[in-house]
Structure formats: C-alpha cells, structure tokens
Amino acid sequence: MLEPRETLTDQHAWEDAARQAIRSLISAGEPFTTDDIWMILDDKGIPHPREPRALGGIIQGFAHRSEIAHKGFKRAARRTANCRPLSIWSAINSS
C-alpha cells in the first residue's frame, strides 16, 4: 500500500537532510557515527522518520559509492540507542 503523498514528501525531505548532514561530516574530515548524524538533524529540528533504521540505508549508499569507509565500533551515546555498538565511519580521500 502506498503512503499518502505528504508522508512520502516528508520522507524525501528527511532523506535529503540526512544526506546533507553526512556530507557535512565528511567535509569536516573527522570520523563519525550515527549519533553525530542524529545530533545534526535534531539541532536543525528535523523530525525523525517513522523508521529510524532508514539512516542505515543512506549511510550504506555513501559506503557503496566509496565516499566513506567503516573504521570500527564505539558505544552509542544516545539514551534511545541503549549503549549499543555503532559503526564508526570516515571519509575516503579521493586523491
């Protein structure tokens, strides 16, 4: 079943905001986790999507395009993440 148009539009806007947050973290040149991405989105007042795991697909897109690489794990800082291990990502230099 298709979602109402407004919901799809909101989802696309959220995806664009998440991609922009990831690009800003890549530009900063420091390793990052999803906690960092959520913090940027929260600071901008971007509402969370109905399915927060959607962020994983966006991150994987950057990884598949060789823009970022997995560097390890660390414990989540967000209470809602229950201290679970998060992937650490960093930019791949394209020299």
Side-chain angles (χ1 to χ4, degrees), residues 4-91:
R5 185 172 200 59
E6 183 176 77
T7 303
L8 288 174
T9 301
D10 291 345
Q11 180 66 23
H12 290 299
W14 178 85
E15 290 171 1
D16 289 343
R19 285 186 190 97
Q20 183 179 8
I22 294 168
R23 284 186 193 101
S24 72
L25 290 165
I26 290 170
S27 294
E30 296 294 322
F32 62 92
T33 70
T34 53
D35 275 353
D36 300 308
I37 300 166
W38 288 119
M39 187 169 51
I40 290 170
L41 296 174
D42 289 345
D43 288 350
K44 291 184 176 187
I46 307 293
H48 288 211
R50 186 172 47 176
E51 178 50 76
R53 292 180 298 178
L55 185 53
I58 294 172
I59 291 171
Q60 287 302 314
F62 280 87
H64 288 304
R65 290 188 302 275
S66 298
E67 295 180 59
I68 60 175
H70 186 262
K71 296 297 180 184
F73 295 95
K74 75 180 241 182
R75 294 274 178 205
R78 292 176 302 121
R79 288 184 67 170
T80 57
N82 297 314
C83 293
R84 74 174 177 273
L86 297 179
S87 291
I88 301 170
W89 298 95
S90 65

